[in-house]
Amino acid sequence: MAKNFIKPRKHETGRTISTKTAYGITSDMVVTDEAIISKVHIPTNCVLVHDDLGYFVVNKERVNDRLACPQRYDTMFRERSNNEITEKING
């Protein structure tokens, strides 16, 4: 019977995190550089955020709410979002 228990997912070893939290959004992650912001379309209720994996846009209410942001750990969303934003910034 003990074999049927599912082990919880563990933290990925070897992954370095330079932000205050691994899953939430903090105010130090918000991009304030006008040169970058002017090149990217950001809806009025959202902010541009940058972390170790790149750029993405989230709702302003997600900043400093002490909750995990599903967009931050969704790898498919992150890849697509980061590629689109990076192309706009560099291109």
Side-chain angles (χ1 to χ4, degrees):
M1 182 152 227
K3 292 185 220 176
N4 295 335
F5 287 107
I6 298 172
K7 293 182 180 180
R9 186 174 169 194
K10 295 183 179 181
H11 177 72
E12 297 176 24
T13 58
R15 180 178 171 208
T16 57
I17 302 169
S18 64
T19 58
K20 292 180 182 177
T21 176
Y23 298 108
I25 306 295
T26 56
S27 58
D28 62 329
M29 298 167 58
V30 176
V31 176
T32 58
D33 186 5
E34 288 297 325
I36 294 174
I37 294 173
S38 64
K39 295 178 182 178
V40 180
H41 171 70
I42 303 170
T44 56
N45 61 339
C46 296
V47 291
L48 182 64
V49 178
H50 183 262
D51 68 355
D52 300 331
L53 301 177
Y55 294 96
F56 60 104
V57 177
V58 296
N59 193 324
K60 287 181 183 178
E61 295 175 1
R62 286 281 181 193
V63 179
N64 293 331
D65 68 353
R66 293 186 168 191
L67 298 173
C69 179
Q71 294 171 332
R72 184 156 184 209
Y73 53 86
D74 182 0
T75 54
M76 291 179 65
F77 169 79
R78 293 296 305 276
E79 285 180 22
R80 185 172 36 91
S81 177
N82 186 47
N83 290 341
E84 290 174 6
I85 294 171
T86 305
E87 285 177 13
K88 290 178 182 179
I89 292 171
N90 295 332

